[in-house]
Amino acid sequence: MLLEVRDLHVEFRTRDGVARAVNGVNYGVDAGETLAVLGESGSGKSVTAQAIMGILDIPPGRITGGEILFQGRDLLKLKEEERRKVRGAEMAMIFQDALSSLNPVLSVGDQLGEMFVVHRGMSKKDARARAVELMDRVRIPGAGARVRDYPHQFSGGMRQRIMIAMALALEPALIIADEPTTALDVTVQAQVMDLLAELQREYHMGLILITHDLGVVADVADRIVVMYAGRIVESAPVHDIYKAPAHPYTRGLLDSIPRLDQKGQELYAIKGLPPNLMHIPPGCAFNPRCPMARDVCRTDEPPLYEVSDDRGSACHFWTECLHG
Ligand SMILES: Nc1ncnc2c1ncn2[C@@H]1O[C@H](COP(=O)(O)OP(=O)(O)OP(=O)(O)O)[C@@H](O)[C@H]1O
Ligand SMILES: [Mg+2]
């Protein structure tokens, strides 16, 4: 495994109390593999990613348990200086909002070039040439001329390509893309996602793709983990999940995708709201919203049951869900 997150716990101490954002997450990704992380807002997708990258807001955040094994080393045991090296060169992150992630007062060529100057000791001239190559690689038309432009001079889709170029620059083993296309128009979304998927294959990187968009996931992901209240509730190869979910929450997510053949019908929505992370319900955290909930669900927290050798579900009644 390239990356393995084991029993990760993260909490935030605020004036109002302790928010348990991540509660025992386990997931992994291999080189050349795409893992999609799914779940409603507030389920802990980004916080888990920030813990992996070492960019968690500490305080108020605190990692209270677990391991993050990357290429065999536990990142949580590294000194900040070693951590910074890993973050620059071996793993990179792509965020939703390129405009706030890129430096507004540096040309994109300078920003891309800086990576090569700082990490590879290149001359400014060589670094500039590499920057143009990269911009070409992410298909920015007229890269040679546009290398002097500033982030605000690019469209949203082009800026997102520049973010991808920045992430790829040092050929990291792992990329984490957190809602990389959410802010873009639908047509542009597909282009950017295709590009990311293509580069991931070509560079044989591990990719963790955080998204709300189950539609996108079907085409690009190998595996899916579904998060709820900071826990993994289902983990499976992508095709298994679409065929038959083994958790009622996954089923709810799938049923809420708009479908072309059901135009005009009211869209299904999972009833209720995600739990308050300061007061996660006992038993299964999903029980107050679950159409299948019974007494045991309100008292006993389900473990991740083994559905098959590469699939797990944290539902006491996963067999019913799978066949129902
Ligand atoms: N800086 C912070 N300070 C306090 N609490 C935080 C902070 N960052 C995250 N949290 C808590 O962690 C929870 C999970 O946040 P996270 O950003 O991981 O959600 P997410 O699954 O990425 O949601 P979204 O889909 O909206 O991006 C939040 O609901 C919040 O309670
Ligand atoms: Mg998020």
Side-chain angles (χ1 to χ4, degrees):
M1 253 321 141
L2 173 65
L3 175 87
E4 221 180 322
V5 176
R6 285 194 192 157
D7 199 25
L8 185 70
H9 288 76
V10 182
E11 56 186 42
F12 290 91
R13 302 195 160 202
T14 69
R15 259 180 309 173
D16 304 325
V18 179
R20 302 191 195 285
V22 177
N23 301 293
V25 160
N26 293 284
Y27 66 54
V29 64
D30 251 324
E33 188 185 46
T34 297
L35 174 77
V37 181
L38 239 75
E40 283 167 305
S41 192
S43 56
K45 305 180 299 292
S46 295
V47 168
T48 306
Q50 288 157 9
I52 296 169
M53 283 296 291
I55 56 171
L56 200 63
D57 229 352
I58 300 176
R62 211 157 72 95
I63 294 178
T64 53
E67 294 175 318
I68 300 175
L69 302 174
F70 179 65
Q71 295 171 330
R73 293 184 292 181
D74 185 358
L75 295 180
L76 299 180
K77 298 216 170 82
L78 296 187
K79 295 200 179 71
E80 181 48 34
E81 193 192 326
E82 296 171 293
R83 197 69 198 274
R84 211 177 306 127
K85 278 188 208 149
V86 172
R87 180 158 63 232
E90 293 170 56
M91 55 170 74
M93 193 151 169
I94 299 168
F95 300 92
Q96 172 178 335
D97 181 6
L99 203 51
S100 61
S101 316
L102 296 168
N103 186 337
V105 299
L106 275 185
S107 72
V108 299
D110 283 343
Q111 285 179 65
L112 282 166
E114 196 178 67
M115 314 266 298
F116 298 110
V117 173
V118 172
H119 290 274
R120 297 280 187 266
M122 280 188 190
S123 71
K124 278 210 154 162
K125 186 161 164 265
D126 291 346
R128 171 59 62 105
R130 288 285 287 129
V132 175
E133 265 174 49
L134 264 176
M135 286 171 69
D136 252 337
R137 191 66 201 76
V138 295
R139 298 202 211 99
I140 292 176
R146 300 225 62 189
V147 70
R148 282 179 191 78
D149 287 350
Y150 291 82
H152 73 269
Q153 292 172 285
F154 291 84
S155 69
M158 288 299 149
R159 269 200 297 270
Q160 211 58 4
R161 286 167 192 266
I162 292 164
M163 283 271 283
I164 294 175
M166 295 275 287
L168 281 175
L170 303 172
E171 300 188 13
L174 175 73
I175 287 196
I176 303 177
D178 192 350
E179 308 271 1
T181 62
T182 305
L184 305 174
D185 293 343
V186 177
T187 46
V188 181
Q189 277 185 2
Q191 292 163 7
V192 170
M193 193 49 74
D194 286 348
L195 174 71
L196 188 59
E198 177 193 321
L199 293 166
Q200 181 264 336
R201 277 192 299 273
E202 185 182 318
Y203 287 77
H204 200 66
M205 295 178 296
L207 174 64
I208 296 175
L209 178 64
I210 299 171
T211 179
H212 285 104
D213 190 345
L214 265 161
V216 159
V217 165
D219 296 329
V220 299
D222 300 296
R223 290 187 63 80
I224 294 190
V225 293
V226 179
M227 287 187 69
Y228 191 80
R231 300 181 182 127
I232 305 284
V233 296
E234 181 160 8
S235 166
V238 70
H239 299 295
D240 290 358
I241 282 210
Y242 283 91
K243 250 184 265 158
H247 196 287
Y249 180 61
T250 316
R251 175 166 298 264
L253 290 180
L254 284 171
D255 287 347
S256 348
I257 309 177
R259 283 171 44 176
L260 290 173
D261 57 341
Q262 291 178 348
K263 254 203 182 120
Q265 279 189 33
E266 211 177 315
L267 201 59
Y268 175 83
I270 301 171
K271 68 174 180 148
L273 292 172
N276 178 342
L277 297 173
M278 293 185 195
H279 305 283
I280 296 176
C284 169
F286 186 57
N287 87 71
R289 305 171 71 188
C290 181
M292 293 170 56
R294 315 210 186 133
D295 286 346
V296 64
C297 307
R298 290 179 264 275
T299 52
D300 296 8
E301 190 187 328
L304 196 74
Y305 293 105
E306 194 178 298
V307 173
S308 66
D309 58 1
D310 59 357
R311 180 165 193 189
S313 165
C315 175
H316 293 303
F317 299 101
W318 65 266
T319 39
E320 256 173 64
C321 185
L322 194 65
H323 303 298

